[in-house]
Amino acid sequence: MTVAAPAMTSRGPERSRRRIKIPNERLFYAVLGFVGLLVVWEFASNFDLDPSTPGVQGLVKRILMSAPTLIWKAGVEDFSSGAIWPHITISLQEWFYGFIISCFLGISLGLSLGWFRRFRLATQPLVSALYSTPTIALFPLIVLIAGIGLESKVILVVLASIFAVIINTMVGVQSVSWKHLEIASSFGASQTQIVRSVVLPTTIPFILTGVRLAAGRSLVGVVVAEFQAANQGVGFYIALNGQTLNTARVFIGLVLLGGFGIFVGELVRLVENRFDAWRPSIHR
Amino acid sequence: MTSAPATQDLALSARGVRMEYLDRGTRERFVAIESLDLDIKQGEFVTIVGPSGCGKSTFVKLVNGLLSASQGEILVRSVAKGKSDAMVFQDSALFPWYKIIDNVSYGLVCAGVSKKQAHERAMPLIKLVGLGGFENKYPYQLSGGMQQRANLARALCVDPAILLMDEPFAALDAQTREVMQAELLRIWRGAEAEGGARKTVLFITHQIEEAVFLSDRVVVMSARPGRIMEDIRIDLPRPRDLHVKRTPEFQEYQEQIWQLIASQLKAAASQFGGSKE
């Protein structure tokens, strides 16, 4: 009985198969996934189980789930008539004010909470309590104090997002290495120099994580506030169209929110990359 | 209080230094260093060796001013401006968010030198330690040995009266460590050629071989509380290269110091055995 010699296989890079080079892989696959979903959705909503009542007995019920083409049509209508613009502007305004206030107030509070131990000890229970309270539970109180205009929404947005910034910044300051502080003072660095050369570089990645989270939570705050008490805004637009079974327009609202979320996320990523040059690329 | 010796040529003079710690957990006081006297002459290379926990790292921190002594005084020769000493720390002591050039010129920037000038003054030192061409890299892009070279350049950059080195090669592998020892001596001579006066070095290690190879004097400390047991002059010719480690004189020094430290370790071991019963 002879045993065949085991075949030798090459473990080097494959030469025979040429791969198509995709210039922007991230974008390519993101778009591919999204388009795939739309195609499946459209197909499913057109697939009628009972052809006598089109759109009612589909694999996906159009009246509940709409369809990409219907959403597109409704979108063109509302954008060309201009009906949707006031909703977008007011929501953007609420988001922007709330987010900016959260960032500035949150970063400064987080830095001082991290740096001053006594301040941290004194405020820790309050911060924890507010952090774990669902923001919506505070809305009736906010409306009583600030009315139902822009102010109350901005306050809610701030409350929804500021703790992400505060807590991340604080953890960042606390993660400053003792050794780096020792080195700085061994070279005679002043307090300001220590903050600039050690505390901030350590903390910035944490701050940006907080800011990224805050951007999303601010958007949640906007929609929650507009669901509660509003006559304008994307949240109001979604709620109203949901109540009138106008599902295509509900989806328009959702697409707006999702698109905005992606846009802001990418913006923060750009800023993060700018500050990340010193880290090995695995962290990027 | 003590009568000062010829202080002109002294770079460092420590008198009756005592250091006590309060352990925050157990609320117990322990003495890290007990009545330590040490004089280091200008331009001398002095190494402190001792078993771990003998207070040798504490002593450099006292010299650097990172800690202050419970008793006694430490006089450090001051230079005209800025800080008079600089420290080379153990591994990973570079700021990871700064390029090598910004790390090396850090001390100068802290002393108020403009960034541009600091960079200009840092460049010759980066070349001296053999990192020419790496000045715009980040620390993570360098090997451990190269990082310690940068660390050394950073300390030399402030032109210190005393160069303090706290186990700078402890985290390196054996071969890199030997290379770095020889390099340190080369850089020490190179800095002399560049800056005029010979640098005073206070070096901390627990490696006897390293201590003998590098130093003019090896100071052996006892186990806690740290006291000076012996102050041994190393009369090996300079410039030294790694071959000197094979000579009988070198081995003799090593043996002598090892005996001293072994006696400490034995004493500590029997003490432990005694207290158990």
Side-chain angles (χ1 to χ4, degrees):
Chain A
M1 207 166 95
T2 51
V3 180
M8 305 287 275
T9 53
S10 162
R11 285 286 170 86
E14 281 178 51
R15 276 170 301 149
S16 53
R17 222 171 56 196
R18 243 214 242 123
R19 301 188 61 195
I20 303 159
K21 190 111 178 67
I22 299 161
N24 190 342
E25 258 195 335
R26 252 171 63 86
L27 187 66
F28 178 80
Y29 284 109
V31 171
L32 189 71
F34 185 62
V35 170
L37 177 74
L38 289 187
V39 168
V40 171
W41 183 2
E42 184 67 36
F43 176 77
S45 70
N46 280 320
F47 187 87
D48 281 328
L49 294 176
D50 179 2
S52 63
T53 54
V56 176
Q57 280 300 319
L59 200 58
V60 165
K61 292 190 179 67
R62 278 198 209 178
I63 199 157
L64 298 182
M65 283 300 293
S66 193
T69 43
L70 294 177
I71 297 167
W72 177 258
K73 248 170 56 192
V76 171
E77 258 170 47
D78 276 7
F79 274 94
S80 56
S81 74
I84 205 167
W85 286 115
H87 297 296
I88 294 177
T89 357
I90 195 78
S91 289
L92 269 182
Q93 232 175 48
E94 291 160 1
W95 179 85
F96 182 76
Y97 289 136
F99 176 65
I100 293 296
I101 293 173
S102 269
C103 288
F104 276 94
L105 209 61
I107 291 171
S108 24
L109 275 173
L111 287 176
S112 16
L113 281 170
W115 199 244
F116 303 111
R117 190 175 143 268
R118 290 198 178 86
F119 184 36
R120 180 167 66 245
L121 293 178
T123 50
Q124 191 109 59
L126 191 66
V127 170
S128 309
L130 274 173
Y131 180 55
S132 48
T133 307
T135 330
I136 185 137
L138 295 167
F139 198 58
L141 192 62
I142 298 170
V143 170
L144 281 178
I145 295 167
I148 55 162
L150 180 66
E151 294 87 347
S152 61
K153 272 99 177 178
V154 171
I155 293 174
L156 186 90
V157 170
V158 170
L159 283 172
S161 58
I162 197 168
F163 293 104
V165 184
I166 293 180
I167 289 171
N168 271 289
T169 308
M170 185 178 86
V171 170
V173 175
Q174 288 176 300
S175 70
V176 167
S177 127
W178 176 249
K179 189 165 186 178
H180 288 149
L181 290 175
E182 204 171 49
I183 293 161
S185 38
S186 96
F187 280 100
S190 66
Q191 282 288 318
T192 350
Q193 281 167 333
I194 288 178
V195 169
R196 271 190 46 198
S197 64
V198 179
V199 179
L200 280 181
T202 311
T203 315
I204 278 173
F206 290 86
I207 293 179
L208 288 176
T209 305
V211 166
R212 192 213 287 267
L213 287 172
R217 283 165 170 254
S218 296
L219 203 56
V220 173
V222 166
V223 173
V224 165
E226 287 173 354
F227 272 15
Q228 289 295 307
N231 48 24
Q232 262 181 333
V234 175
F236 169 76
Y237 179 86
I238 291 174
L240 182 73
N241 285 309
Q243 282 154 15
T244 54
L245 228 60
N246 200 339
T247 31
R249 286 186 167 75
V250 172
F251 276 105
I252 293 173
L254 293 177
V255 169
L256 284 175
L257 293 176
F260 186 70
I262 294 175
F263 170 73
V264 174
E266 287 299 302
L267 218 62
V268 178
R269 254 173 60 91
L270 280 182
V271 180
E272 278 179 332
N273 285 347
R274 153 88 184 68
F275 284 104
D276 255 2
W278 58 271
R279 301 169 106 191
S281 52
I282 186 129
H283 293 297
R284 269 179 245 161
Chain B
M1 285 274 104
T2 46
S3 60
T7 44
Q8 303 92 309
D9 61 341
L10 281 186
L12 178 139
S13 169
R15 286 282 167 276
V17 174
R18 180 186 165 84
M19 186 66 191
E20 287 178 359
Y21 275 112
L22 184 68
D23 190 308
R24 275 176 201 271
T26 60
R27 316 286 307 162
E28 245 177 281
R29 266 179 188 288
F30 69 86
V31 182
I33 297 174
E34 194 167 77
S35 69
L36 186 144
D37 296 327
L38 183 67
D39 283 332
I40 298 178
K41 279 206 212 100
Q42 194 71 41
E44 233 179 350
F45 198 126
V46 176
T47 297
I48 300 180
V49 292
S52 42
C54 73
K56 46 194 196 299
S57 280
T58 304
F59 183 65
V60 266
K61 283 183 185 166
L62 289 174
V63 174
N64 189 268
L66 285 173
L67 298 172
S68 42
S70 317
Q71 261 174 50
E73 61 172 3
I74 297 175
L75 298 173
V76 180
R77 185 193 177 87
S78 54
V79 285
K81 55 181 185 308
K83 270 186 71 76
S84 56
D85 47 5
M87 192 110 143
V88 180
F89 293 84
Q90 283 190 32
D91 61 314
S92 67
L94 296 169
F95 294 130
W97 44 83
Y98 282 162
K99 291 175 177 169
I100 295 304
I101 183 123
D102 292 314
N103 265 297
V104 172
S105 54
Y106 183 73
L108 289 177
V109 172
C110 282
V113 179
S114 78
K115 199 171 165 180
K116 189 166 166 281
Q117 261 191 319
H119 279 196
E120 272 166 26
R121 280 165 65 182
M123 267 324 285
L125 286 159
I126 290 176
K127 290 197 178 109
L128 177 69
V129 299
L131 286 180
F134 288 94
E135 60 272 9
N136 285 320
K137 299 271 186 225
Y138 286 100
Y140 82 89
Q141 294 169 307
L142 270 56
S143 69
M146 286 162 94
Q147 290 188 16
Q148 279 314 68
R149 287 170 193 261
N151 218 334
L152 181 57
R154 176 173 68 184
L156 287 171
C157 201
V158 295
D159 194 19
I162 302 186
L163 185 58
L164 304 172
M165 306 187 75
D166 186 8
E167 303 204 39
F169 307 144
L172 301 180
D173 62 86
Q175 279 108 39
T176 311
R177 191 183 176 114
E178 288 228 308
V179 171
M180 286 305 291
Q181 290 167 1
E183 278 290 280
L184 174 59
L185 290 185
R186 180 187 69 76
I187 291 160
W188 187 47
R189 286 198 310 275
E192 184 186 351
E194 205 138 304
R198 170 177 283 206
K199 284 269 167 293
T200 312
V201 183
L202 177 59
F203 194 98
I204 305 294
T205 183
H206 57 260
Q207 272 226 331
I208 298 164
E209 190 208 40
E210 183 167 85
V212 176
F213 175 68
L214 294 171
S215 320
D216 297 317
R217 276 163 62 202
V218 175
V219 175
V220 184
M221 277 180 82
S222 68
R224 191 186 296 157
R227 280 170 295 103
I228 292 181
M229 286 167 68
E230 282 286 354
D231 192 334
I232 298 160
R233 180 156 293 285
I234 308 291
D235 278 319
L236 295 169
R238 286 189 192 274
R240 294 174 196 162
D241 60 20
L242 291 168
H243 294 297
V244 82
K245 291 189 178 180
R246 320 279 175 259
T247 62
E249 293 91 336
F250 189 93
Q251 314 268 336
E252 247 168 67
Y253 281 124
Q254 229 182 313
E255 181 60 25
Q256 185 189 354
I257 295 167
W258 168 242
Q259 291 297 341
L260 284 164
I261 291 178
S263 72
Q264 283 301 304
L265 293 176
K266 263 179 230 154
S270 67
Q271 209 176 26
F272 254 110
S275 64
K276 243 184 209 168
E277 282 166 296

